[in-house]
Amino acid sequence: MNTLIQNCINKKLSKTPIWLMRQAGRYLPEFRSIRKKNQDFIKLCLNTKLSSEITMQPITRFDFDAAIIFSDILLVPYALGQQVSFEKNFGPNLQKINLKTLNEIKKEDFLKKLDPVYKTIKKIKTKLSVNNKDTIGFVGAPWTLLLYMLNRKSPKGANFNVFPKDKHTNDIMVKLDKFLKIHIEAQIKSGVSIIQIFDSWAGLLQEKDLEYFVYKPIKSLVDFIKQKKTVSICFPRNINNYKKFVENVNPDVISIDYNTDPTIIRDTVDITVQGGLDPKILLQNKEIIRNEVTKYLKTFDGKRYIFNLGHGVLPNTNPNMVKYLVDVVRSFNGK
Ligand code: CP3
Protein backbone atom coordinates (compact mmCIF):
# COMPACT_ATOMS: atom_id res chain seq x y z
CA MET A 1 0.00 0.00 0.00
CA ASN A 2 1.31 3.45 -0.90
CA THR A 3 1.68 6.27 1.58
CA LEU A 4 -0.42 9.39 1.14
CA ILE A 5 2.59 11.31 -0.15
CA GLN A 6 3.41 8.62 -2.75
CA ASN A 7 -0.23 8.69 -3.88
CA CYS A 8 -0.13 12.43 -4.09
CA ILE A 9 2.97 12.35 -6.32
CA ASN A 10 1.48 9.60 -8.48
CA LYS A 11 -1.64 11.68 -9.06
CA LYS A 12 -3.91 9.36 -7.07
CA LEU A 13 -5.51 12.10 -5.05
CA SER A 14 -7.36 11.06 -1.95
CA LYS A 15 -6.57 13.35 0.96
CA THR A 16 -4.05 16.16 1.30
CA PRO A 17 -1.07 14.78 3.23
CA ILE A 18 0.33 16.98 6.01
CA TRP A 19 3.63 17.29 7.86
CA LEU A 20 5.53 20.41 8.99
CA MET A 21 9.12 21.52 8.65
CA ARG A 22 10.65 21.68 12.14
CA GLN A 23 7.74 19.65 13.49
CA ALA A 24 10.13 17.94 15.91
CA GLY A 25 11.45 20.79 17.94
CA ARG A 26 11.39 23.69 20.28
CA TYR A 27 7.65 24.49 20.31
CA LEU A 28 6.96 21.11 21.94
CA PRO A 29 7.25 20.98 25.76
CA GLU A 30 8.19 17.29 25.53
CA PHE A 31 11.16 18.27 23.30
CA ARG A 32 12.19 21.12 25.60
CA SER A 33 12.27 18.85 28.63
CA ILE A 34 14.69 16.48 26.84
CA ARG A 35 16.72 19.41 25.49
CA LYS A 36 17.11 20.92 28.98
CA LYS A 37 18.90 17.78 30.13
CA ASN A 38 21.02 17.57 26.94
CA GLN A 39 22.99 20.77 26.50
CA ASP A 40 25.13 19.54 23.62
CA PHE A 41 22.85 19.69 20.57
CA ILE A 42 25.08 17.65 18.24
CA LYS A 43 25.34 14.92 20.88
CA LEU A 44 21.56 14.93 21.20
CA CYS A 45 21.19 14.45 17.43
CA LEU A 46 23.62 11.53 17.71
CA ASN A 47 21.78 9.88 20.59
CA THR A 48 19.68 7.24 18.80
CA LYS A 49 17.36 6.60 21.71
CA LEU A 50 16.52 10.27 22.25
CA SER A 51 16.50 11.30 18.58
CA SER A 52 14.06 8.46 17.80
CA GLU A 53 11.87 9.60 20.66
CA ILE A 54 11.96 13.24 19.47
CA THR A 55 11.24 12.23 15.85
CA MET A 56 8.10 10.43 17.03
CA GLN A 57 6.87 13.17 19.39
CA PRO A 58 4.92 15.15 16.73
CA ILE A 59 3.57 11.92 15.21
CA THR A 60 2.19 10.80 18.56
CA ARG A 61 0.71 14.21 19.25
CA PHE A 62 -0.67 15.19 15.82
CA ASP A 63 -0.67 12.01 13.73
CA PHE A 64 1.18 13.73 10.83
CA ASP A 65 1.47 11.72 7.60
CA ALA A 66 5.26 11.79 7.67
CA ALA A 67 8.05 11.96 10.25
CA ILE A 68 11.22 13.94 9.57
CA ILE A 69 14.29 12.54 11.26
CA PHE A 70 15.45 14.57 14.25
CA SER A 71 18.93 15.64 13.14
CA ASP A 72 20.41 18.79 11.57
CA ILE A 73 21.85 19.93 8.24
CA LEU A 74 25.02 20.98 10.10
CA LEU A 75 25.84 17.39 11.05
CA VAL A 76 27.50 17.14 7.62
CA PRO A 77 30.08 19.91 8.26
CA TYR A 78 30.53 18.35 11.72
CA ALA A 79 31.23 14.91 10.20
CA LEU A 80 33.63 16.61 7.76
CA GLY A 81 35.71 17.72 10.72
CA GLN A 82 34.39 21.24 11.33
CA GLN A 83 33.37 21.81 14.92
CA VAL A 84 29.77 22.97 15.36
CA SER A 85 28.07 24.19 18.50
CA PHE A 86 24.72 25.84 19.14
CA GLU A 87 24.41 28.81 21.42
CA LYS A 88 21.20 29.90 23.07
CA ASN A 89 19.58 32.86 21.29
CA PHE A 90 22.43 32.98 18.78
CA GLY A 91 22.20 29.87 16.63
CA PRO A 92 24.98 27.76 15.21
CA ASN A 93 28.61 28.59 15.73
CA LEU A 94 31.19 26.87 13.52
CA GLN A 95 34.95 26.73 13.96
CA LYS A 96 37.20 27.57 11.02
CA ILE A 97 37.27 24.88 8.31
CA ASN A 98 40.31 22.68 8.44
CA LEU A 99 41.06 22.10 4.76
CA LYS A 100 43.60 19.40 5.52
CA THR A 101 41.02 17.37 7.48
CA LEU A 102 38.43 18.06 4.79
CA ASN A 103 40.72 16.78 2.06
CA GLU A 104 41.71 13.68 3.98
CA ILE A 105 38.32 12.60 5.31
CA LYS A 106 37.42 9.05 4.36
CA LYS A 107 33.96 7.75 3.53
CA GLU A 108 34.13 5.12 6.34
CA ASP A 109 35.02 7.71 8.99
CA PHE A 110 32.29 10.08 7.82
CA LEU A 111 29.71 7.26 7.92
CA LYS A 112 30.90 6.13 11.32
CA LYS A 113 30.42 9.60 12.78
CA LEU A 114 26.86 9.75 11.45
CA ASP A 115 25.99 6.12 12.19
CA PRO A 116 23.61 7.02 15.06
CA VAL A 117 21.46 8.95 12.53
CA TYR A 118 21.15 5.83 10.38
CA LYS A 119 20.35 3.75 13.46
CA THR A 120 17.58 6.22 14.33
CA ILE A 121 16.07 5.80 10.85
CA LYS A 122 16.15 1.99 11.13
CA LYS A 123 14.62 2.16 14.59
CA ILE A 124 11.59 4.25 13.68
CA LYS A 125 11.12 3.10 10.08
CA THR A 126 9.18 -0.07 10.94
CA LYS A 127 6.81 1.72 13.28
CA LEU A 128 6.08 4.35 10.66
CA SER A 129 5.57 2.06 7.70
CA VAL A 130 3.16 -0.14 9.66
CA ASN A 131 1.07 3.00 9.98
CA ASN A 132 1.61 3.80 6.29
CA LYS A 133 3.54 6.99 7.06
CA ASP A 134 6.60 8.32 5.26
CA THR A 135 10.00 8.62 6.88
CA ILE A 136 11.73 11.75 5.62
CA GLY A 137 15.51 12.08 5.54
CA PHE A 138 17.17 15.33 4.55
CA VAL A 139 20.32 17.25 3.71
CA GLY A 140 21.24 20.90 3.47
CA ALA A 141 21.88 22.02 -0.10
CA PRO A 142 25.53 22.69 -0.99
CA TRP A 143 25.01 26.49 -1.14
CA THR A 144 23.40 26.74 2.30
CA LEU A 145 26.05 24.48 3.83
CA LEU A 146 28.88 26.38 2.12
CA LEU A 147 27.50 29.57 3.57
CA TYR A 148 27.47 28.19 7.13
CA MET A 149 30.89 26.62 6.67
CA LEU A 150 32.51 29.86 5.44
CA ASN A 151 30.43 32.41 7.36
CA ARG A 152 30.57 30.21 10.50
CA LYS A 153 27.21 31.47 11.75
CA SER A 154 23.73 32.29 10.40
CA PRO A 155 23.98 34.73 7.50
CA LYS A 156 20.89 36.71 8.55
CA GLY A 157 21.03 40.20 7.09
CA ALA A 158 24.29 39.49 5.26
CA ASN A 159 24.89 40.50 1.67
CA PHE A 160 26.45 37.87 -0.55
CA ASN A 161 26.11 39.54 -3.91
CA VAL A 162 29.78 39.09 -4.60
CA PHE A 163 30.34 35.59 -3.28
CA PRO A 164 33.50 34.30 -5.03
CA LYS A 165 33.30 31.41 -7.47
CA ASP A 166 37.00 30.70 -6.96
CA LYS A 167 38.95 27.47 -6.56
CA HIS A 168 38.49 27.39 -2.77
CA THR A 169 34.71 27.62 -3.14
CA ASN A 170 34.71 25.06 -5.92
CA ASP A 171 36.82 22.58 -3.93
CA ILE A 172 34.36 22.72 -1.02
CA MET A 173 31.37 22.36 -3.36
CA VAL A 174 32.94 19.25 -4.90
CA LYS A 175 33.51 17.75 -1.44
CA LEU A 176 29.97 18.58 -0.42
CA ASP A 177 28.54 16.93 -3.52
CA LYS A 178 30.49 13.76 -2.76
CA PHE A 179 29.68 13.56 0.95
CA LEU A 180 26.06 14.67 0.65
CA LYS A 181 25.54 11.77 -1.74
CA ILE A 182 27.16 9.42 0.77
CA HIS A 183 24.84 10.77 3.49
CA ILE A 184 21.79 10.55 1.21
CA GLU A 185 22.61 6.98 0.19
CA ALA A 186 23.07 5.87 3.80
CA GLN A 187 19.74 7.41 4.80
CA ILE A 188 17.99 5.66 1.90
CA LYS A 189 19.63 2.33 2.76
CA SER A 190 18.46 2.75 6.35
CA GLY A 191 14.87 3.19 5.19
CA VAL A 192 13.82 6.77 4.40
CA SER A 193 11.26 7.03 1.59
CA ILE A 194 11.82 10.72 0.85
CA ILE A 195 14.81 13.08 0.87
CA GLN A 196 14.17 16.79 1.36
CA ILE A 197 16.91 19.21 0.28
CA PHE A 198 16.90 22.44 2.31
CA ASP A 199 18.38 25.44 0.52
CA SER A 200 17.35 27.89 3.22
CA TRP A 201 19.57 30.71 1.93
CA ALA A 202 19.01 30.36 -1.84
CA GLY A 203 17.13 33.67 -1.72
CA LEU A 204 20.31 35.59 -0.83
CA LEU A 205 21.77 34.95 -4.27
CA GLN A 206 21.39 37.07 -7.36
CA GLU A 207 19.65 35.53 -10.35
CA LYS A 208 22.93 35.23 -12.27
CA ASP A 209 24.53 33.08 -9.55
CA LEU A 210 21.70 30.57 -9.19
CA GLU A 211 22.97 28.28 -11.93
CA TYR A 212 26.37 27.80 -10.27
CA PHE A 213 25.37 27.74 -6.60
CA VAL A 214 21.82 26.33 -6.68
CA TYR A 215 20.54 24.65 -9.87
CA LYS A 216 23.62 22.67 -10.81
CA PRO A 217 24.59 21.32 -7.34
CA ILE A 218 20.99 20.50 -6.39
CA LYS A 219 20.31 18.82 -9.73
CA SER A 220 23.31 16.59 -9.10
CA LEU A 221 21.73 15.46 -5.80
CA VAL A 222 18.22 15.12 -7.26
CA ASP A 223 19.53 12.93 -10.12
CA PHE A 224 21.30 10.77 -7.55
CA ILE A 225 18.12 10.43 -5.45
CA LYS A 226 16.18 9.49 -8.61
CA GLN A 227 18.70 6.77 -9.41
CA LYS A 228 17.98 5.37 -5.94
CA LYS A 229 14.25 5.38 -6.75
CA THR A 230 13.48 7.70 -3.88
CA VAL A 231 11.29 10.81 -3.80
CA SER A 232 13.03 14.21 -3.74
CA ILE A 233 11.57 17.41 -2.29
CA CYS A 234 13.42 20.70 -2.87
CA PHE A 235 13.05 23.83 -0.75
CA PRO A 236 15.00 26.67 -2.39
CA ARG A 237 13.68 29.23 0.07
CA ASN A 238 12.91 32.76 -1.10
CA ILE A 239 14.01 32.46 -4.71
CA ASN A 240 12.02 34.63 -7.13
CA ASN A 241 11.36 32.09 -9.83
CA TYR A 242 10.29 28.61 -8.72
CA LYS A 243 9.24 27.73 -12.27
CA LYS A 244 12.78 28.21 -13.51
CA PHE A 245 14.12 26.18 -10.58
CA VAL A 246 11.77 23.30 -11.41
CA GLU A 247 12.70 23.42 -15.10
CA ASN A 248 16.40 23.30 -14.26
CA VAL A 249 16.38 20.81 -11.39
CA ASN A 250 13.30 18.66 -12.04
CA PRO A 251 12.61 17.31 -8.52
CA ASP A 252 9.50 15.27 -7.62
CA VAL A 253 8.15 17.95 -5.29
CA ILE A 254 8.78 21.69 -4.91
CA SER A 255 8.35 23.22 -1.45
CA ILE A 256 7.44 26.92 -1.54
CA ASP A 257 8.07 29.74 0.94
CA TYR A 258 5.46 32.18 2.23
CA ASN A 259 6.57 35.15 0.13
CA THR A 260 5.60 33.44 -3.06
CA ASP A 261 2.12 33.70 -4.57
CA PRO A 262 0.60 30.18 -4.51
CA THR A 263 -1.75 30.88 -7.44
CA ILE A 264 1.21 31.68 -9.69
CA ILE A 265 2.90 28.44 -8.61
CA ARG A 266 -0.30 26.48 -9.27
CA ASP A 267 -0.63 27.97 -12.74
CA THR A 268 3.00 27.66 -13.81
CA VAL A 269 4.44 24.57 -12.13
CA ASP A 270 3.43 21.09 -13.16
CA ILE A 271 4.84 18.94 -10.33
CA THR A 272 3.60 18.25 -6.79
CA VAL A 273 3.73 21.37 -4.63
CA GLN A 274 4.36 21.45 -0.89
CA GLY A 275 3.97 24.13 1.76
CA GLY A 276 3.59 27.88 1.63
CA LEU A 277 1.67 28.95 4.76
CA ASP A 278 3.50 31.62 6.79
CA PRO A 279 4.50 29.98 10.12
CA LYS A 280 3.56 33.28 11.85
CA ILE A 281 -0.10 32.50 11.04
CA LEU A 282 0.06 29.79 13.71
CA LEU A 283 0.63 32.57 16.28
CA GLN A 284 -2.79 34.05 15.39
CA ASN A 285 -6.30 33.05 16.49
CA LYS A 286 -8.28 30.10 15.12
CA GLU A 287 -10.37 32.16 12.72
CA ILE A 288 -7.30 33.61 11.00
CA ILE A 289 -5.64 30.19 10.92
CA ARG A 290 -8.71 28.61 9.32
CA ASN A 291 -8.99 31.35 6.68
CA GLU A 292 -5.32 31.28 5.72
CA VAL A 293 -5.09 27.48 5.65
CA THR A 294 -8.26 27.28 3.55
CA LYS A 295 -6.72 29.72 1.05
CA TYR A 296 -3.90 27.28 0.34
CA LEU A 297 -6.22 24.27 0.28
CA LYS A 298 -8.59 25.97 -2.16
CA THR A 299 -5.76 27.20 -4.37
CA PHE A 300 -4.44 23.67 -4.75
CA ASP A 301 -7.79 21.86 -4.65
CA GLY A 302 -7.71 18.99 -7.19
CA LYS A 303 -3.94 19.48 -7.64
CA ARG A 304 -1.12 17.43 -6.20
CA TYR A 305 -0.41 19.26 -2.94
CA ILE A 306 1.28 18.37 0.36
CA PHE A 307 0.29 20.65 3.20
CA ASN A 308 3.26 22.22 5.01
CA LEU A 309 4.47 25.66 6.09
CA GLY A 310 6.55 28.16 4.12
CA HIS A 311 9.38 27.68 6.65
CA GLY A 312 9.80 25.86 9.98
CA VAL A 313 7.39 25.94 12.94
CA LEU A 314 8.37 28.89 15.17
CA PRO A 315 9.52 28.12 18.74
CA ASN A 316 6.74 30.25 20.28
CA THR A 317 3.96 28.35 18.50
CA ASN A 318 1.21 26.94 20.71
CA PRO A 319 0.95 23.16 20.07
CA ASN A 320 -2.86 23.44 20.34
CA MET A 321 -2.83 25.61 17.24
CA VAL A 322 -0.83 22.97 15.39
CA LYS A 323 -3.51 20.49 16.40
CA TYR A 324 -6.15 22.90 15.10
CA LEU A 325 -4.25 23.30 11.81
CA VAL A 326 -4.21 19.52 11.32
CA ASP A 327 -7.98 19.37 12.02
CA VAL A 328 -8.67 22.10 9.44
CA VAL A 329 -6.58 20.33 6.77
CA ARG A 330 -8.11 16.91 7.50
CA SER A 331 -11.70 18.18 7.48
CA PHE A 332 -11.38 20.16 4.22
CA ASN A 333 -13.73 18.77 1.60
CA GLY A 334 -13.13 21.00 -1.39
CA LYS A 335 -14.66 24.32 -2.35
O1 CP3 B 1 11.76 18.82 12.99
C1 CP3 B 1 12.57 18.82 12.06
O2 CP3 B 1 12.42 19.50 11.02
C2 CP3 B 1 13.73 17.84 12.08
C3 CP3 B 1 14.97 18.30 12.55
C4 CP3 B 1 15.65 19.53 11.94
C5 CP3 B 1 16.37 20.46 12.74
N1 CP3 B 1 16.99 21.34 11.91
C6 CP3 B 1 16.43 20.41 14.21
C7 CP3 B 1 16.93 21.58 14.95
C8 CP3 B 1 15.81 19.92 10.61
C9 CP3 B 1 15.21 19.33 9.36
C10 CP3 B 1 16.67 21.07 10.60
C11 CP3 B 1 17.10 21.74 9.37
C12 CP3 B 1 17.95 22.93 9.45
N2 CP3 B 1 18.94 23.20 10.36
C13 CP3 B 1 17.93 23.98 8.50
C14 CP3 B 1 17.05 24.03 7.28
C15 CP3 B 1 15.66 24.46 7.57
C16 CP3 B 1 15.50 25.90 8.01
O3 CP3 B 1 15.01 26.09 9.12
O4 CP3 B 1 15.83 26.81 7.23
C17 CP3 B 1 18.90 24.92 8.90
C18 CP3 B 1 19.23 26.22 8.20
C19 CP3 B 1 19.54 24.41 10.09
C20 CP3 B 1 20.66 25.02 10.85
C21 CP3 B 1 20.26 25.31 12.24
N3 CP3 B 1 20.05 24.35 13.22
C22 CP3 B 1 20.04 26.58 12.86
C23 CP3 B 1 20.16 27.91 12.14
C24 CP3 B 1 19.70 26.35 14.21
C25 CP3 B 1 19.47 27.34 15.33
C26 CP3 B 1 18.23 28.09 15.27
C27 CP3 B 1 17.00 27.30 14.88
O5 CP3 B 1 16.59 27.49 13.72
O6 CP3 B 1 16.47 26.50 15.66
C28 CP3 B 1 19.67 24.95 14.39
C29 CP3 B 1 19.34 24.25 15.66
C30 CP3 B 1 18.22 23.29 15.63
N4 CP3 B 1 18.03 22.35 14.65
C31 CP3 B 1 17.22 23.14 16.62
C32 CP3 B 1 16.42 22.06 16.21
C33 CP3 B 1 15.26 21.46 16.96
C34 CP3 B 1 17.09 23.97 17.89
C35 CP3 B 1 18.06 23.50 18.90
C36 CP3 B 1 17.84 24.16 20.23
O7 CP3 B 1 17.06 23.64 21.02
O8 CP3 B 1 18.51 25.17 20.47
Side-chain angles (χ1 to χ4, degrees), residues 22-24 26 35 41 71-73 86 138 148 200 311:
R22 300 299 194 94
Q23 66 188 24
R26 292 185 296 185
R35 180 75 172 103
F41 182 72
S71 168
D72 199 87
I73 65 165
F86 290 83
F138 66 90
Y148 279 108
S200 303
H311 200 189

Side-chain angles (χ1 to χ4, degrees), residues 83-138:
Q83 266 189 50
V84 184
S85 57
F86 290 83
E87 281 170 40
K88 230 183 174 162
N89 307 321
F90 176 77
N93 204 342
L94 287 79
Q95 297 295 306
K96 231 175 138 82
I97 299 185
N98 184 334
L99 283 177
K100 193 169 173 303
T101 320
L102 185 64
N103 283 326
E104 288 170 1
I105 186 101
K106 291 200 184 64
K107 179 177 176 179
E108 304 76 64
D109 297 332
F110 175 87
L111 284 173
K112 204 168 161 194
K113 274 190 162 173
L114 296 182
D115 192 53
V117 177
Y118 312 133
K119 289 211 170 95
T120 299
I121 296 170
K122 287 176 195 148
K123 193 166 166 173
I124 58 168
K125 164 77 194 164
T126 325
K127 250 190 260 172
L128 288 161
S129 42
V130 167
N131 291 307
N132 212 26
K133 295 183 189 300
D134 278 293
T135 308
I136 304 179
F138 66 90

